[in-house]
Amino acid sequence: MAIFDILIAPDPGLRAVAAPVAGVDDEVRRIVADMFETMYDARGIGLAATQVAIERRIVVIDLQDRDTEDEEHPEPVRDPHIFLNPALTWISDETSTYNEGCLSIPEHYAEVERPARCRVTWRDLDWVEHDEAFDRLMATCIQHEIDHLNGVLFTDHISRLKRDMIMKKLVKARKAS
Ligand code: ZN
């Protein structure tokens, strides 16, 4: 197991369009395991392979119960989801807005409006095909991660003014470090 370095915007690698996974082998299994380790280490809820400079259509998500208010389980409960070749097959007209963040855009958040519900097809590590509808935080998160596979960041969905401000601060932070 290993922790990957996460690309930070405006790294051009984040603009890469990832290629489909052709099948599951030991390499894919290792990438998925290391992506989970990287995501948990960074305290994120989702990670796309493009964020760790692997241009393949692999996404891991774990909302860790943050979408529920379960008073009996105040501690986060791990709930890992693996998506190989995830694709949106339907989006709702109705939208919802979340204050989104991103491990590649550290310490910056913005209100992003997206379709409130979506339908997604993907394959798992047994190469079984899935087709499921999502709502609430999961709908937002999977759309955010599929965007990454297409080289799109959440800042592409907000005003140019706000986007430029965030990018300037990220460049400044990189120079300072
Ligand atoms: Zn992200």
Side-chain angles (χ1 to χ4, degrees):
M1 299 274 272
I3 290 172
F4 290 117
D5 285 332
I6 298 174
L7 301 183
I8 304 298
D11 192 304
L14 291 167
R15 295 305 185 181
V17 176
V21 176
V24 175
D25 54 14
D26 285 347
E27 192 199 3
V28 169
R29 276 186 282 269
R30 183 187 55 78
I31 290 169
V32 167
D34 289 348
M35 282 176 64
F36 271 115
E37 194 171 6
T38 302
M39 182 183 76
Y40 290 132
D41 177 69
R43 298 180 180 276
I45 59 172
L47 186 69
T50 29
Q51 291 180 272
V52 293
I54 294 170
E55 293 171 15
R56 305 179 72 176
R57 303 189 83 82
I58 303 172
V59 163
V60 299
I61 291 177
D62 191 335
L63 303 182
Q64 297 198 19
D65 259 7
R66 284 177 218 201
D67 202 22
T68 62
E69 288 174 31
D70 186 347
E71 287 176 6
E72 284 179 24
H73 299 95
E75 293 295 316
V77 176
R78 284 198 178 177
D79 182 25
H81 291 264
I82 297 156
F83 299 87
L84 305 179
N85 301 337
L88 288 172
T89 57
W90 173 81
I91 50 172
S92 64
D93 291 332
E94 180 200 345
T95 61
S96 64
T97 301
Y98 271 94
N99 193 33
E100 291 190 27
C102 179
L103 294 176
S104 294
I105 306 174
E107 291 170 38
H108 293 279
Y109 300 86
E111 299 279 317
V112 179
E113 187 181 9
R114 297 181 186 270
R117 289 170 289 127
C118 61
R119 199 166 186 100
V120 180
T121 58
W122 74 95
R123 287 184 185 267
D124 63 23
L125 282 181
D126 296 319
W127 207 239
V128 174
E129 195 158 19
H130 296 261
D131 178 350
E132 218 177 298
F134 296 110
D135 62 2
R136 294 158 55 90
L137 183 57
M138 193 60 171
T140 288
C141 195
I142 189 68
Q143 289 176 63
H144 175 123
E145 301 307 334
I146 290 173
D147 268 358
H148 273 304
L149 301 180
N150 295 323
V152 174
L153 301 173
F154 82 77
T155 45
D156 296 325
H157 295 287
I158 62 178
S159 76
R160 186 179 187 152
L161 188 73
K162 180 126 204 225
R163 175 166 64 248
D164 288 351
M165 198 178 76
I166 290 174
M167 289 304 156
K168 258 184 219 161
K169 284 183 180 165
L170 287 170
V171 170
K172 210 172 162 185
R174 173 176 288 185
K175 279 182 186 156
S177 69

